[in-house]
Amino acid sequence: MIYLIAILIYLAVLTVVGVVKAKQVKTQDDFAVAGRSLSPWVMVLTMLAVWIGTGSILGNAEEAYNSGMAALIIPFGTFFGLILLSFIATKARDIEACSVPEIIGNRFGTGARFLAVIALIMAYMVIVSYQFNAGGGVLEVITGDKAPLSVAMDEAVTKKQLTRGQLIYTPDTNYVGDAVVSIQPDGNNETLDYTIHVIAEDKFVETINALKQSDDQLENVVFIKAGDRSHIQFDEESLNSEHYRISGLPREGKVEYFEPKLSREKATIIAAVFIIIYTMLAGLKSLASMDVITGSIITISLVIAFPVMWFMAGGWDGMQASYLAMGAHEQHMKFWGVYSPIHILNYLLPVFLLVMGDANQYQRIFASRNSKGAKQAVVTLIFAALAIEMLIIATAWVAGSMTPEQTNGRYILIHAAAHLMPQALGLLFMVTVVGVIISTADSFLLVPATTFINDIYCKHINPKADEKRVVLISRALVVLFGVIAYFVSMAFSASTGFFKKALLAYTIYGSAITPSLMAAMFWKGATKAGAISSILAGTVVTLIWAPCLKGLLPENLQEVDAVLPAIFASIIALVVVSLNTSPSKES
């Protein structure tokens, strides 16, 4: 309950800031680019807060839980992207634009501008959608579970119950041996078994090593020490029926059903409503003010959290022993050799491309007082973002060694804040996570609304609209895009992690928009036809790669994600078409 109270206080403070800043919004420039008034220091914090979002604090943390120390390579996509962005910042600020599609449209015309808007909205709706999911996840965790229910033989359970809640097996005191929990779908004699090996603590590592070297199948098998309990989480993809019954229970110990007090669906709705309302209030004026708070809290909490967690985990030796005891986690203590070169490209290239063309970062560059301040902010951000992302992954890696239950891996840092960290640090860290989610969601929700207003409504629908009407419609679009993002969040399978969702969104945006944006600013030979071809090629290849094209590759190339073929297609289309067409009058 104390975590919920702390978060509610934090949200109340943000709401007050939003209401105060809303009264200061008089023009579309105020709403979209904070009146071009941000100082370098405010810019660093707001750019840091919007970049270190759910993709970092949940997505990268989730990957660190799954892969271990090797995940520390992921932030280098951001690092190299920001280095190049620092050279672009001055030119971008001098353009005096309000959006990325405006830069593309001013150079390549209406068609390219419109396609850039569409690609941006598609990518950002995906990004906002998993911010909603993340906000719902925080609420679900901090509100806790209902009172446990005992589970009996032949008891009826549904697929929804098994995926929304979880079964937990608690062995009798000092019991050592095997325990099996089985479920059976209605009208089917095949059972789905979940085996728990309860092992004496002094023989834990030895027994696991012996089992792993045997030919026994270890699917749906978990190892726990005597006296611990096991979280039983059936794979949703393996549950092909809506109704089941408990067909097998251990003779020793008890099995109980735990269900969260706040369902994932309701929690996501609550998070979405708050985020939409807050974004609608004051646009970038309120977001920049909030980001100063959030960016500071992110830095402080992570600098404290990592050494505390490292000490709690027992340092390198303690983590090594814990990961060994967890079974298939030996690679978690290795930096090299875990990811193949293809995996590294799959993970780094989407982030690199997003940084180079991210409309959020450019919107903050446009909001700078001048070009010199914009460059100073981006240069500082290079090292700040690298340090914070490394700390996020390192903290998740350490927390993972103390979290054997796979069900907690998706929200590893939220779980660590609620159950592993000292309470004072846990409160600070939980507020950090909430601040990051809200800041990122608000920013990625604001950009599509202001982009549509600037590049579609004011340009083609109502060029003579007064400032009051433009701000009003901007707020209405925030609500509309927020609702769309909510339905996108529902469309994603619960089994799809934040890391994969983030890479998909980054690939859509980076392959469709970044090449044309760079060409608009730096390549005089690029043409309107080349830009349009590039945006279409990047978008289409990204969307059809997994369902249509990936399966056609040889087996040794099946690991290639959409980003490589999509960016290759986008750049080739831009260069080839531009070299074979003449610049139009709009170019």
Side-chain angles (χ1 to χ4, degrees):
M1 179 60 70
I2 191 171
Y3 293 96
L4 182 59
I5 292 172
I7 288 172
L8 289 176
I9 292 172
Y10 177 70
L11 295 181
V13 171
L14 294 187
T15 302
V16 171
V17 171
V19 171
V20 171
K21 291 295 181 180
K23 296 178 181 179
Q24 301 175 10
V25 174
K26 306 298 182 185
T27 68
Q28 178 62 8
D29 259 13
D30 290 338
F31 191 80
V33 291
R36 304 191 192 276
S37 62
L38 301 187
S39 66
W41 173 243
V42 172
M43 277 190 64
V44 170
L45 290 174
T46 189
M47 293 175 82
L48 179 66
V50 74
W51 182 254
I52 305 298
T54 302
S56 298
I57 208 159
L58 291 183
N60 289 354
E62 176 190 29
E63 180 60 18
Y65 180 83
N66 292 329
S67 300
M69 186 183 181
L72 287 169
I73 199 171
I74 294 172
F76 284 94
T78 302
F79 180 71
F80 294 124
L82 285 173
I83 289 175
L84 291 182
L85 184 62
S86 68
F87 292 102
I88 299 169
T90 299
K91 186 176 181 64
R93 176 60 182 85
D94 288 340
I95 293 174
E96 291 283 339
C98 284
S99 71
V100 164
E102 182 180 351
I103 296 176
I104 294 174
N106 288 344
R107 171 70 192 280
F108 298 121
T110 301
R113 186 176 193 154
F114 179 76
L115 289 175
V117 171
I118 297 301
L120 182 149
I121 290 174
M122 287 174 57
Y124 279 27
M125 288 301 93
V126 175
I127 294 173
V128 174
S129 75
Y130 62 72
Q131 313 299 323
F132 291 168
N133 291 142
V138 172
L139 289 174
E140 182 183 343
V141 170
I142 65 174
T143 52
D145 295 322
K146 298 177 181 178
L149 301 174
S150 297
V151 176
M153 279 291 292
D154 293 320
E155 183 175 341
V157 291
T158 65
K159 178 179 179 178
K160 187 174 182 179
Q161 285 178 306
L162 292 170
T163 54
R164 182 170 59 187
Q166 57 184 325
L167 301 176
I168 294 182
Y169 168 66
T170 306
D172 290 338
T173 305
N174 298 324
Y175 172 72
V176 173
D178 291 348
V180 179
V181 177
S182 303
I183 60 172
Q184 188 176 58
D186 286 353
N188 193 326
N189 293 326
E190 294 184 3
T191 62
L192 184 59
D193 298 327
Y194 193 100
T195 303
I196 304 108
H197 293 296
V198 185
I199 306 169
E201 185 170 0
D202 60 340
K203 297 183 178 179
F204 196 71
V205 174
E206 176 187 345
T207 304
I208 289 174
N209 285 334
L211 285 169
K212 287 168 60 180
Q213 292 173 9
S214 69
D215 294 329
D216 294 340
Q217 294 294 321
L218 298 182
E219 186 177 358
N220 288 335
V221 174
V222 69
F223 309 98
I224 63 171
K225 297 175 183 177
D228 289 347
R229 63 180 191 171
S230 173
H231 296 246
I232 303 170
Q233 187 74 42
F234 290 100
D235 183 3
E236 184 176 3
E237 295 180 359
S238 67
L239 299 180
N240 50 21
S241 175
E242 294 299 322
H243 299 279
Y244 292 82
R245 70 178 183 86
I246 303 296
S247 58
L249 289 172
R251 293 182 179 180
E252 304 285 344
K254 62 181 179 180
V255 176
E256 296 174 302
Y257 175 70
F258 287 76
E259 184 177 357
K261 291 178 181 178
L262 190 62
S263 70
R264 185 175 302 164
E265 294 81 4
K266 291 180 180 177
T268 302
I269 291 173
I270 293 171
V273 169
F274 179 85
I275 289 167
I276 291 169
I277 291 174
Y278 189 79
T279 308
M280 185 181 64
L281 281 174
L284 191 58
K285 269 190 174 291
S286 62
L287 295 188
S289 300
M290 180 185 77
D291 289 346
V292 171
I293 301 171
T294 303
S296 301
I297 294 176
I298 290 171
T299 305
I300 293 169
S301 61
L302 284 166
V303 167
I304 297 172
F306 174 69
V308 169
M309 296 294 291
W310 178 267
F311 177 79
M312 292 175 63
W316 182 273
D317 291 339
M319 289 174 59
Q320 192 169 40
S322 296
Y323 274 126
L324 179 62
M326 289 164 63
H329 289 74
E330 303 95 332
Q331 80 278 7
H332 279 57
M333 302 303 292
K334 295 168 57 180
F335 181 72
W336 293 112
V338 176
Y339 294 140
S340 68
I342 290 178
H343 275 125
I344 293 174
L345 282 174
N346 286 342
Y347 294 168
L348 268 60
L349 190 54
V351 181
F352 172 82
L353 294 172
L354 178 68
V355 174
M356 291 285 291
D358 182 20
N360 266 305
Q361 304 301 343
Y362 280 90
Q363 189 171 27
R364 281 151 176 79
I365 289 172
F366 300 151
S368 174
R369 291 174 182 170
N370 51 55
S371 57
K372 181 180 178 182
K375 185 176 181 64
Q376 289 174 343
V378 177
V379 170
T380 305
L381 184 66
I382 294 171
F383 304 100
L386 178 64
I388 297 301
E389 286 199 341
M390 297 284 270
L391 280 172
I392 287 171
I393 291 171
T395 304
W397 168 52
V398 176
S401 70
M402 297 183 280
T403 311
E405 305 91 356
Q406 289 285 336
T407 53
N408 293 318
R410 195 175 184 211
Y411 300 107
I412 182 60
L413 290 181
I414 298 174
H415 171 79
H419 301 288
L420 299 178
M421 296 179 186
Q423 190 173 80
L425 178 58
L427 285 170
L428 179 64
F429 203 90
M430 194 71 82
V431 168
T432 296
V433 173
V434 171
V436 163
I437 292 169
I438 293 174
S439 174
T440 308
D442 288 347
S443 297
F444 278 92
L445 188 54
L446 177 66
V447 167
T450 56
T451 298
F452 188 90
I453 281 290
N454 183 69
D455 295 281
I456 303 297
Y457 182 79
C458 291
K459 188 76 175 177
H460 302 290
I461 298 176
N462 189 3
K464 297 181 180 180
D466 59 40
E467 292 287 356
K468 186 176 180 180
R469 175 178 291 274
V470 169
V471 172
L472 179 64
I473 295 176
S474 295
R475 287 173 167 152
L477 284 170
V478 166
V479 176
L480 174 62
F481 287 131
V483 172
I484 293 172
Y486 170 73
F487 284 109
V488 173
S489 75
M490 294 176 62
F492 275 116
S493 169
S495 61
T496 303
F498 292 106
F499 188 65
K500 294 296 184 182
K501 291 177 187 176
L503 290 182
L504 171 63
Y506 299 168
T507 300
I508 293 173
Y509 188 94
S511 60
I513 292 180
T514 300
S516 292
L517 176 63
M518 295 299 103
M521 291 192 288
F522 299 108
W523 186 26
K524 293 181 179 180
T527 67
K528 178 170 70 173
I532 291 174
S533 301
S534 174
I535 296 170
L536 285 173
T539 304
V540 171
V541 172
T542 300
L543 295 177
I544 69 173
W545 179 254
C548 303
L549 301 178
K550 189 174 182 178
L552 302 177
L553 292 178
E555 187 173 348
N556 62 331
L557 295 178
Q558 286 292 311
E559 292 181 341
V560 174
D561 283 345
V563 64
L564 285 173
I567 190 61
F568 181 78
S570 181
I571 292 174
I572 290 298
L574 174 67
V575 174
V576 171
V577 175
S578 291
L579 292 177
N580 287 278
T581 54
S582 300
S584 67
K585 293 181 180 179
E586 286 186 286
S587 296

